[in-house]
Amino acid sequence: QKEVEQNSGPLSVPEGAIASLNCTYSDRGSQSFFWYRQYSGKSPELIMSIYSNGDKEDGRFTAQLNKASQYVSLLIRDSQPSDSATYLCAAGLGLEYGNKLVFGAGTILRVKS
Amino acid sequence: DVKVTQSSRYLVKRTGEKVFLECVQDMDHENMFWYRQDPGLGLRLIYFSYDVKMKEKGDIPEGYSVSREKKERFSLILESASTNQTSMYLCASSLSSDYEQYFGPGTRLTVT
């Protein structure tokens, strides 16, 4: 069973702080990783993709990938109350699995003003 | 921008009814997916399709079927709705060469 694991939270951070969200994945064959943001009652929205080891920055968001440790993280700098949401981590399975993604259950982030 | 639309945001059906959920994407994506999302269980893949008239079972296909007659449209069918199919249903699409999936707004289905 290929899995992605996340701490369910809630993770509470004060406004302006850095929020750090983490996930681990079980399939060593995974080469692509994604972070989705999901507001309550809404559908997931893709916010970051990462394919190579290291960091990838986009505005206030930084995704980090360590394939040796099978670990992916998302940092949100200068956290805002509007960042309060559930963050889903996903890993792409190999082409033999038809471009499917496996999703973690999500981490609830609460940014306190 | 990729746009994925779903036929209904909210739907209430009775046990035993046949239910059709439709999904349309406007970006010429080859791959389309149907998920359900339940509290504590996360996103679970029901079926996916990588081409017109092609379909593959996901992790929880029981009680569901799908249809893809045109590239842009992917339908999920509940042959005989049951109360345990009450859930949020999410459609997504992606390019064949890419894993990035884009989701529609979701349909919250209640079966009574």
Side-chain angles (χ1 to χ4, degrees):
Chain A
Q1 185 79 358
K2 302 184 188 303
E3 296 179 336
V4 171
E5 297 197 357
Q6 299 180 251
N7 188 319
S8 61
L11 172 66
S12 292
V13 300
E15 184 175 357
I18 296 175
S20 178
L21 305 162
N22 307 309
C23 88
T24 59
Y25 60 95
S26 64
D27 181 17
R28 284 201 171 273
S30 292
Q31 298 294 320
S32 56
F33 304 89
F34 307 91
W35 284 99
Y36 287 81
R37 177 177 62 200
Q38 186 173 24
Y39 293 113
S40 180
K42 303 295 186 182
S43 62
E45 173 192 10
L46 179 64
I47 55 172
M48 289 288 285
S49 307
I50 187 165
Y51 301 89
S52 304
N53 275 331
D55 295 1
K56 179 182 177 183
E57 188 173 317
D58 184 0
R60 295 187 297 113
F61 299 101
T62 298
Q64 299 175 317
L65 173 60
N66 184 325
K67 291 183 181 179
S69 300
Q70 296 179 242
Y71 180 89
V72 191
S73 65
L74 179 71
L75 301 178
I76 306 174
R77 290 182 298 282
D78 188 24
S79 295
Q80 300 297 309
S82 58
D83 295 324
S84 297
T86 298
Y87 289 80
L88 305 176
C89 176
L93 303 180
L95 283 176
E96 65 271 29
Y97 296 100
N99 285 28
K100 291 192 296 185
L101 297 180
V102 58
F103 286 85
T107 298
I108 298 170
L109 173 66
R110 293 186 181 146
V111 181
K112 301 172 292 184
S113 58
Chain B
D1 278 353
V2 176
K3 188 159 186 182
V4 182
T5 58
Q6 295 182 231
S7 50
S8 306
R9 292 299 306 275
Y10 301 93
L11 207 53
V12 180
K13 295 292 183 180
R14 294 202 180 275
T15 301
E17 280 192 84
K18 191 168 186 175
V19 181
F20 293 87
L21 302 181
E22 289 208 317
C23 175
V24 178
Q25 49 92 7
D26 68 355
M27 285 304 292
D28 205 32
H29 283 176
E30 291 84 1
N31 301 325
M32 296 187 75
F33 306 82
W34 275 107
Y35 296 90
R36 63 178 284 177
Q37 187 175 34
D38 302 286
L41 297 177
L43 278 165
R44 293 181 291 167
L45 182 64
I46 305 171
Y47 267 97
F48 68 104
S49 169
Y50 51 88
D51 201 353
V52 176
K53 296 191 185 295
M54 305 300 289
K55 61 185 179 184
E56 294 284 342
K57 293 181 180 179
D59 301 318
I60 51 164
E62 297 78 18
Y64 303 95
S65 62
V66 290
S67 172
R68 193 168 180 198
E69 297 296 321
K70 294 184 178 181
K71 189 175 186 179
E72 68 272 17
R73 191 179 298 268
F74 191 33
S75 300
L76 180 70
I77 303 153
L78 287 65
E79 297 290 342
S80 177
S82 64
T83 55
N84 64 10
Q85 292 179 310
T86 291
S87 186
M88 169 72 96
Y89 289 88
L90 291 158
C91 175
S93 72
S94 72
L95 285 169
S96 63
S97 58
D98 200 342
Y99 288 91
E100 293 185 351
Q101 291 186 19
Y102 297 90
F103 285 85
T107 295
R108 186 164 294 281
L109 173 67
T110 302
V111 183
T112 62

